[in-house]
Amino acid sequence: ERARDYLHKTGRFIVIGGIVSPVHDSYGKTGLVSSRHRLTMCQLAVQSSDWIRVDPWECYQDTWQTTCSVLEHHRDLMKRVTGCILSNVNTPSITPVIGQPQNESSQTIYQNNNISNKPTAAKILGKVGESLSRICCVRPPMERFTFVDENANLGTVMRYEEIELRILLLCGSDLLESFCIPGLWNEADMEVIVGEFGIVVVPRDGADPDRIMNHSSILRKYKNNILVVKDDSNHPMSVVSSTKSRLALQHGDGHVVDYLCQPVIDYILKSQLYINASG
């Protein structure tokens, strides 16, 4: 939620959906419970959201999929289902773009320039096919849509095929830091993830993403494709941690309610997940 808010504040993006993709059972991480449980917990966590959905594709494959292949799957699916152009971050465009900054000499279609650096709550007629029908679950109707600045009440008409979309990887700074570990990531995959898709990074545990980026030639090369979320609230996003949640459950720590919503806690207790014999 806060990553989306930050992207909107930049004036460069309209986030139309989020995808949660639980990892395959064969990933091999210690303590990883069955994907059946993880899919259910994720679905319970986002059941009240009108823009985030859980995608089981990664779990349903025959074996573990790389992060790069998962991103490519969703890019190809979105292109096939919607007919939209999936933009490469380095590809210049002559049409208005969702998820790519406009030429500075032209007016951004979803931002009112009269308001200092603050994008309006852009209204898209039909919400771009109800947010591309919940991010490619079904094919949206191919109609003409108008991007509307709610203050100026003006817009640019375009077809779905003229809208360019971007898929970005949302991660914590701990994952970004793992890019710097020699041999851990395939370098060709890193080039695609950072160079073609782009990353949205949430700082965690006081980590400095700028320092991390300076330790990797690929991250330095594509630094402009890495967006670091600035958290202005009194409750930093770094407190959100699946590791802390599991430890709290194992030790009977009531502070687990700080990390999890009640339906997820109820499911964990009912299914006896993460709780050791003495818990």
Side-chain angles (χ1 to χ4, degrees):
E1 296 281 353
R2 291 182 183 173
R4 179 183 67 162
D5 291 345
Y6 174 75
L7 291 176
H8 286 173
K9 287 177 182 177
T10 67
R12 293 173 52 189
F13 301 87
I14 299 174
V15 178
I16 62 171
I19 300 170
V20 177
S21 182
V23 75
H24 193 275
D25 283 340
S26 64
Y27 178 57
K29 182 175 181 177
T30 302
L32 189 70
V33 301
S34 165
S35 59
R36 173 174 63 88
H37 291 307
R38 290 183 286 111
L39 282 168
T40 300
M41 287 187 286
C42 288
Q43 288 163 347
L44 289 171
V46 303
Q47 63 184 352
S48 62
S49 175
D50 62 356
W51 68 280
I52 305 173
R53 75 173 180 85
V54 179
D55 192 289
W57 179 85
E58 188 174 352
C59 289
Y60 288 172
Q61 300 310 295
D62 293 334
T63 187
W64 169 74
Q65 302 293 306
T66 64
T67 301
C68 184
S69 65
V70 175
L71 290 168
E72 290 175 333
H73 160 73
H74 288 293
R75 177 191 63 193
D76 296 343
L77 174 65
M78 193 174 292
K79 182 176 181 179
R80 187 167 64 250
V81 172
T82 67
C84 295
I85 300 168
L86 272 291
S87 74
N88 182 306
V89 290
N90 298 312
T91 303
S93 173
I94 59 173
T95 60
V97 176
I98 293 180
Q100 183 171 314
Q102 302 299 298
N103 186 301
E104 291 183 359
S105 62
S106 62
Q107 181 176 344
T108 307
I109 58 171
Y110 50 83
Q111 181 173 354
N112 185 335
N113 292 336
N114 295 325
I115 301 178
S116 59
N117 298 322
K118 182 179 180 181
T120 64
K123 294 181 179 178
I124 305 175
L125 187 61
K127 297 181 182 178
V128 186
E130 204 58 38
S131 294
L132 295 179
S133 294
R134 296 279 73 82
I135 311 300
C136 300
C137 288
V138 296
R139 182 179 177 82
M142 301 302 288
E143 300 173 357
R144 298 187 73 86
F145 285 88
T146 304
F147 286 73
V148 179
D149 181 315
E150 65 175 3
N151 291 290
N153 200 29
L154 298 172
T156 303
V157 177
M158 61 180 69
R159 291 185 182 278
Y160 267 120
E161 294 91 333
E162 295 171 325
I163 300 172
E164 292 185 29
L165 302 170
R166 273 181 57 189
I167 295 174
L168 299 130
L169 173 65
L170 173 63
C171 67
S173 53
D174 48 343
L175 187 143
L176 185 72
E177 194 163 21
S178 72
F179 283 178
C180 303
I181 301 174
L184 184 62
W185 289 79
N186 179 293
E187 288 204 6
D189 282 3
M190 287 177 61
E191 287 272 352
V192 173
I193 293 170
V194 190
E196 294 187 17
F197 289 95
I199 301 179
V200 181
V201 182
V202 176
R204 304 181 74 174
D205 298 323
D208 182 358
D210 289 326
R211 179 190 59 79
I212 294 171
M213 285 184 266
N214 287 332
H215 282 77
S216 165
S217 58
I218 292 178
L219 295 181
R220 286 197 305 270
K221 179 181 178 182
Y222 297 110
K223 190 171 183 178
N224 291 337
N225 296 344
I226 302 172
L227 297 114
V228 180
V229 177
K230 309 297 183 183
D231 185 27
D232 299 325
S233 76
N234 294 324
H235 301 284
M237 288 175 283
S238 61
V239 303
V240 179
S241 167
S242 56
T243 300
K244 290 179 181 178
S245 298
R246 288 191 295 271
L247 288 173
L249 285 162
Q250 289 170 8
H251 295 98
D253 185 351
H255 286 95
V256 70
V257 297
D258 296 336
Y259 310 120
L260 303 176
C261 62
Q262 193 60 48
V264 174
I265 295 174
D266 293 342
Y267 182 85
I268 289 171
L269 295 176
K270 178 181 178 181
S271 305
Q272 290 292 289
L273 304 177
Y274 311 116
I275 302 172
N276 57 30
S278 61

